[in-house]
Amino acid sequence: MTDAETAERALRCLDLTDLTDNCTDQAIDALCAKALDPRGPVAAVCVWPQFVVRARETLRGSSVRIATVVNFPGGGEDVGRVTDDVQEALADGANEIDLVLPYDALRRGNPAIAAEMIEAVREMTDQGRLLKVILETGELKEPALIEKASRLAVDAGADFIKTSTGKTPVSATPEAAEIMLNVIKASGRPVGLKPSGGIRTLADAKIYLDLADRIMGPGWAKPQTFRIGASSVYDALIAAIEGRASTAAVGTY
């Protein structure tokens, strides 16, 4: 596969993201314009809950889905607050919920609260809407804990498991993604993978596409089962599609 073909594949699997602290309506408009690029479109935009309505209006009639984040980025343990936030996001028009696992509870040896939260949000996220569970693998650190979190999320009904919020020192890593893919494969359930945070170049994106191809089989990684959570990789993918050299974009996500 050529670089341009790989870039096109990655672009269609992109959750184009703006979770910056100073995000504005104008930034969301620009994000949605990029999402609709004819070389894509991307799979989804991922925005703060307060921008879901604006994104919905801007993307109306397109295939681009609207993802938003809850329990983000800290991974708190208040299930009632999280379900209230999910209800509001769905009412505003979100198609996908990216839920941060209460990862600190898991580190303390209390997986029950994490399972309860995922199951509660799962019950609400229906009718073709997706639940993506963010494990925050850079904070879990230990392979055994990443595997445990992956299994817990899959067993509790996640449609996708996602590496990271992009707000911690360590975001997506190939090592974490490999553990997560092996859990998905062993589960036998149709669960997707979303590496996110720190993916800035075509080479970065290709690492995760190649991992998915090796573990899950060629062709498995498509928008229904594979997403890349990023904002700064977009320009690099467009440059590769157009046959231009690209310098890595600067960005935290």
Side-chain angles (χ1 to χ4, degrees):
M1 188 176 284
T2 66
D3 281 355
E5 289 168 336
T6 300
E8 286 176 2
R9 185 183 182 198
L11 186 67
R12 288 192 293 270
C13 293
L14 191 63
D15 279 7
L16 189 60
T17 301
D18 191 335
L19 296 172
T20 52
D21 294 334
N22 58 351
C23 187
T24 63
D25 285 347
Q26 291 71 30
I28 294 300
D29 292 346
L31 190 80
C32 291
K34 283 184 172 183
L36 295 171
D37 188 285
R39 287 159 291 201
V42 302
V45 295
C46 186
V47 300
W48 290 111
Q50 62 266 34
F51 295 110
V52 167
V53 171
R54 190 171 187 93
R56 185 193 70 200
E57 291 169 352
T58 306
L59 294 168
R60 192 182 303 278
S62 80
S63 65
V64 178
R65 295 170 66 90
I66 299 163
T68 195
V69 291
V70 295
N71 209 29
F72 187 97
E77 298 171 27
D78 187 337
V79 176
R81 179 179 176 182
V82 168
T83 54
D84 286 348
D85 290 346
V86 170
Q87 186 172 23
E88 186 173 349
L90 295 175
D92 284 346
N95 309 116
E96 305 183 0
I97 299 294
D98 286 31
L99 165 72
V100 182
L101 180 88
Y103 57 87
D104 201 45
L106 203 63
R107 290 192 297 196
R108 294 196 314 267
N110 181 18
I113 188 69
E116 180 187 349
M117 184 178 292
I118 296 168
E119 287 166 359
V121 176
R122 170 75 281 164
E123 284 186 16
M124 304 171 70
T125 313
D126 56 4
Q127 298 174 339
R129 296 180 291 206
L130 297 180
L131 170 57
K132 309 208 284 291
V133 177
I134 306 170
L135 307 184
E136 203 64 286
T137 54
E139 294 296 293
L140 294 175
K141 297 177 183 175
E142 299 170 13
L145 207 49
I146 294 169
E147 183 179 357
K148 183 175 184 177
S150 301
R151 281 203 315 269
L152 185 153
V154 169
D155 289 347
D159 295 305
F160 275 74
I161 48 177
K162 174 178 171 180
T163 59
S164 332
T165 61
K167 301 288 187 180
T168 56
V170 176
S171 289
T173 65
E175 293 77 15
E178 182 162 7
I179 292 167
M180 294 162 72
L181 282 166
N182 281 320
V183 169
I184 289 169
K185 186 173 184 179
S187 77
R189 284 193 55 229
V191 178
L193 175 76
K194 181 177 172 179
S196 60
I199 299 169
R200 298 188 177 91
T201 66
L202 176 60
D204 291 339
K206 188 174 186 299
I207 287 169
Y208 295 101
L209 284 166
D210 287 349
L211 256 180
D213 285 346
R214 175 168 63 80
I215 294 170
M216 303 302 294
W220 176 84
K222 51 188 181 292
Q224 293 80 7
T225 50
F226 183 85
R227 302 288 180 84
I228 296 169
S231 55
S232 48
V233 76
Y234 177 89
D235 291 339
L237 298 180
I238 294 295
I241 290 168
E242 294 179 346
R244 296 183 284 111
S246 171
T247 54
V250 175
T252 56
Y253 208 95

